[in-house]
Amino acid sequence: MMKDDIEKIVYTAEDLHKKVAELGAQITADYKDAKEPIFCVGILKGAVVFYTDLVRQINLPVQFDFMIASSYGSGTKTSGEVKILKDLDYDIEGKHLIVIEDIIDSGTTMHYLLRYFQHRHPKSVRLCSLLSKPSRRTADVHIDYCGFEVPDEFLVGYGLDYAEKYRNLPYIGILKPEVYTK
Ligand code: IMP
Ligand code: MG
């Protein structure tokens, strides 16, 4: 069973639900006077679980769009390179963008993406990340809406993967060390 690979649960499904509801309420309050739908950009695949929960906690019109960017191989260490594997479907000029990400680690991916978005002249850009590992940061990234600050440990579940596994765990946890040597 998948849960037998988990050493420790860091955030339960209930912790996550509570935090996502808080973030959604904060975003709803901040954008209540916006004249047009909030353009929510989810970064696939890691953010997809967080994204679908978060947008349902935003009590305002939102427009969906997704990007696939990759700075990682299938392992746990960043390569420092960012590739856009799927671009936005819509023109973001004049839109209020909220970029929704699972985790800001080194910041390489998001630093690159935020600059990429700015070049397309949105009306505003804010970043919402469920998790942040500040001790690992090498690129400067401002997180407008941050769920939890986490220590430098590799996390899985609720969208986060190790070698494309564990994304569908309903909680966030740490793997047993032997899983990495399998
Ligand atoms: P960054 O460019 O170093 O900030 O890396 C961001 C991406 O690395 C995230 O979107 C995740 O896909 C991945 N990542 C970073 N830390 C973890 C982790 O602890 N577990 C799973 N994926 C992670
Ligand atoms: Mg990711």
Side-chain angles (χ1 to χ4, degrees):
M1 301 284 275
M2 192 166 53
K3 72 175 183 15
D4 299 330
D5 292 349
I6 299 297
E7 169 126 318
K8 190 177 99 186
I9 295 178
V10 180
Y11 301 112
T12 64
E14 201 193 336
D15 296 336
L16 294 167
H17 178 77
K18 241 183 97 183
K19 183 58 77 176
V20 172
E22 274 172 38
L23 292 169
Q26 210 183 326
I27 290 169
T28 303
D30 290 354
Y31 287 83
K32 66 179 190 315
D33 298 325
K35 303 269 181 296
E36 63 285 303
I38 308 166
F39 195 95
C40 290
V41 178
I43 310 302
L44 301 176
K45 291 170 273 197
V48 75
V49 178
F50 174 48
Y51 184 103
T52 56
D53 280 349
L54 180 67
V55 290
R56 285 178 287 174
Q57 300 291 336
I58 299 175
N59 191 15
L60 292 169
V62 307
Q63 187 176 350
F64 282 27
D65 207 348
F66 298 95
M67 272 184 103
I68 304 181
S70 177
S71 70
Y72 267 40
S74 59
T76 59
K77 286 269 164 1
T78 186
S79 67
E81 225 180 279
V82 179
K83 269 191 286 184
I84 291 179
L85 305 175
K86 185 221 163 287
D87 206 340
L88 296 170
D89 289 336
Y90 299 98
D91 185 2
I92 57 172
E93 189 171 338
K95 302 273 169 71
H96 287 298
L97 234 67
I98 299 182
V99 184
I100 299 173
E101 179 58 304
D102 51 357
I103 184 165
I104 308 297
D105 184 35
S106 71
T108 312
T109 313
M110 197 44 65
H111 183 80
Y112 180 89
L113 289 180
L114 290 174
R115 286 184 47 186
Y116 182 87
F117 295 137
Q118 288 295 0
H119 284 132
R120 278 149 189 79
H121 310 293
K123 194 176 281 175
S124 68
V125 181
R126 284 187 184 164
L127 171 61
C128 177
S129 183
L130 179 64
L131 306 171
S132 172
K133 282 184 192 166
S135 65
R136 298 252 313 159
R137 205 77 91 245
T138 55
D140 186 31
V141 172
H142 175 72
I143 307 176
D144 300 281
Y145 303 100
C146 181
F148 300 102
E149 289 201 347
V150 295
D152 182 12
E153 279 176 311
F154 197 78
L155 303 169
V156 296
Y158 200 69
L160 295 160
D161 73 305
Y162 169 62
E164 296 298 334
K165 271 180 75 182
Y166 309 104
R167 292 192 196 275
N168 58 324
L169 285 170
Y171 48 80
I172 290 177
I174 293 168
L175 290 169
K176 291 178 179 163
E178 59 264 30
V179 176
Y180 297 108
T181 53
K182 264 184 198 165

